[in-house]
Amino acid sequence: MTQEMSQVKTTAPLRNVALCMKALERAMNSPDHLPRMVSFSGPSGMGKSMAASYAANKYRAYYVECKSSWTKRALLEAIMLQMGIPAAGPIYKLTEQISEQLALSGRPLIIDEMDHIVNRSAVEIVRDIYEGSKAPILLIGEEMMPQKLKKWERFHGRILEWAYTQPADMQDTKLLASFYCRKVKVKDDLLETVTKAAKGSVRRICVNLSRIEDEAMGTGLSEIGLKEWGDRQLYTGEAPARRII
Amino acid sequence: MTPSERISADTRQSVWNAIREQRTFTSVSILNATSLEDLSSVRWYLSGFETAGYIKKTATDKSPHVFELVKDIGREAPRVRRDGSSITQGSKRDQMWRTMRILKIFDADELAMAASLEESPVDSEDARSYVFHLHKAGYLQLVQAAKHTGGMSRYRLIQSMYTGPKAPMIKKVRQVYDPNLKKVMYQEGRS
């Protein structure tokens, strides 16, 4: 195989996983007088979920994904389900119980799709939990999340770092190829084309890599490069151009 | 995790709950607060917590010893053996269970990839078997069946089937056991 392989394969070397981990670890190691909330944002398809799951597994973080309909209570109940605590009682009680569990366990809290509640009062609950626990909290959302959070002034000042996703590069494609193309060898020239066509999106890279493996298997190739791929289309996320027959 | 380890995890949790409630305690006071049957099994758990530094004997020479809780890590009991070493078994399933929720739609290989840690790699075979059983047990919905030319089936974790943070266990007798609901969700040969 041409794909580079480390001893144990994880998603850790992916650019956006690494960026996300760096932000979370900064929050976890932040001295007492500095805030412990960090934000990680960017457009969809950039591998934020992969980053979130790696971070959640690494530190056994409590993870919740917000829904746009969420009230304060819904958010609290979702976190409590994660903690295995029955959610009964008034909102301030639930907030206290969550804060206590976070503070004692030392485990971080990851709030994904934070933009869904950014215009709602549930945002204030996140701040209350943070104030009550000083626990490291990672907020994940789409690219406009930081902008929207600025509206909540008292919230904004508690963010230690605003991290942003970066476009996936050739290194990322190579690592992903080692996962998605196990049965065929994909040559670098094709991997480079895939990287370019994906325009930074991890999702598009993954879709193309599995297509490439499928095609190669289907045509009985054990090795595939740009030449073998020929004029087949790659998925670019755009509607295909009309074919003239 | 074998059934005996599961029972032991539940018991460890009940001992830990009693410790957190009492803060200062003896093996007898823990025995009285739990459903354990004899002092020797209480001591078995206490010695693990003590060696790992979660509880400490207070400076009295009274017998039985008086302990106090010195490191409270919250509601979840520390996963330690009698000798204080930590139990990691079952954690790969936990990783997969956590990852399914975050990825939402996945095939077994993607799950193995996203759930792997350097210190705790998840292999594709294990992911395949876990996904197969959870699908049988009604946790996962088939989104896209495997094509016969290759590729893998894609699944989605059914939201209402996220029962809690503990990963459902595949038991040796080919059952899926949900420790949150304390219920067998699937048994091979029974529909």
Side-chain angles (χ1 to χ4, degrees), chain A residues 153-169:
Chain A
E153 211 177 286
R154 288 185 299 164
F155 194 87
H156 202 253
R158 286 168 173 84
I159 305 283
L160 175 69
E161 181 179 331
W162 302 89
Y164 299 90
T165 57
Q166 297 292 320
D169 57 18

Side-chain angles (χ1 to χ4, degrees), chain B residues 7-31:
Chain B
I7 291 159
S8 128
D10 287 350
T11 316
R12 189 185 317 110
Q13 185 65 48
S14 70
V15 170
W16 179 250
N17 293 348
I19 290 174
R20 287 191 77 218
E21 189 131 313
Q22 299 179 16
R23 317 305 279 197
T24 303
F25 55 92
T26 63
S27 45
V28 177
S29 74
I30 299 296
L31 180 68

Side-chain angles (χ1 to χ4, degrees), chain A residues 8-12 49-50 52-54 56-58 60-65 67 81-86 97 100-101 104-105 107 112-113 176 179-180 182 214 217, chain B residues 20 23 72-76 79 94-96 98-99 101-104 107 109-110 112-121 124 147 149-151 159 162-165:
Chain A
V8 170
K9 284 195 291 179
T10 70
T11 55
S49 296
M50 277 187 199
S53 60
Y54 186 83
N57 281 321
K58 187 80 182 178
R60 295 173 65 226
Y62 297 109
Y63 171 94
V64 290
E65 186 194 300
K67 306 271 178 297
L81 175 62
Q82 274 294 288
M83 295 177 163
I85 311 177
Q97 283 175 297
E100 187 194 62
Q101 176 63 16
L104 290 174
S105 68
R107 290 159 64 175
D112 202 351
E113 308 274 11
L176 291 166
F179 287 112
Y180 283 88
R182 290 171 198 236
D214 274 5
M217 299 288 288
Chain B
R20 287 191 77 218
R23 317 305 279 197
D72 184 0
I73 57 155
R75 303 173 69 99
E76 215 175 302
R79 300 187 63 202
D94 287 343
Q95 284 160 230
M96 283 194 265
R98 198 179 281 129
T99 304
R101 221 177 116 238
I102 302 177
L103 293 186
K104 292 187 271 299
D107 64 36
D109 276 356
E110 280 170 335
M113 161 183 89
S116 282
L117 296 173
E118 286 74 12
E119 61 274 26
S120 177
S124 294
K147 287 169 278 182
T149 52
Q159 260 188 37
Y162 180 77
T163 49

Side-chain angles (χ1 to χ4, degrees), chain A residues 20-21 23-29 36-38 52-64 79 82-83 98-99 101-112 129-130 133-140, chain B residues 73 76 98 101-102:
Chain A
C20 179
M21 286 298 284
L24 177 59
E25 281 165 0
R26 274 197 64 195
M28 294 175 75
N29 302 322
R36 287 215 169 95
M37 279 201 272
V38 286
S53 60
Y54 186 83
N57 281 321
K58 187 80 182 178
Y59 295 111
R60 295 173 65 226
Y62 297 109
Y63 171 94
V64 290
I79 300 174
Q82 274 294 288
M83 295 177 163
I98 290 170
S99 303
Q101 176 63 16
L102 283 174
L104 290 174
S105 68
R107 290 159 64 175
L109 173 64
I110 300 178
I111 305 180
D112 202 351
I129 291 171
Y130 172 68
S133 63
K134 297 287 179 195
I137 301 180
L138 169 65
L139 310 173
I140 302 180
Chain B
I73 57 155
E76 215 175 302
R98 198 179 281 129
R101 221 177 116 238
I102 302 177

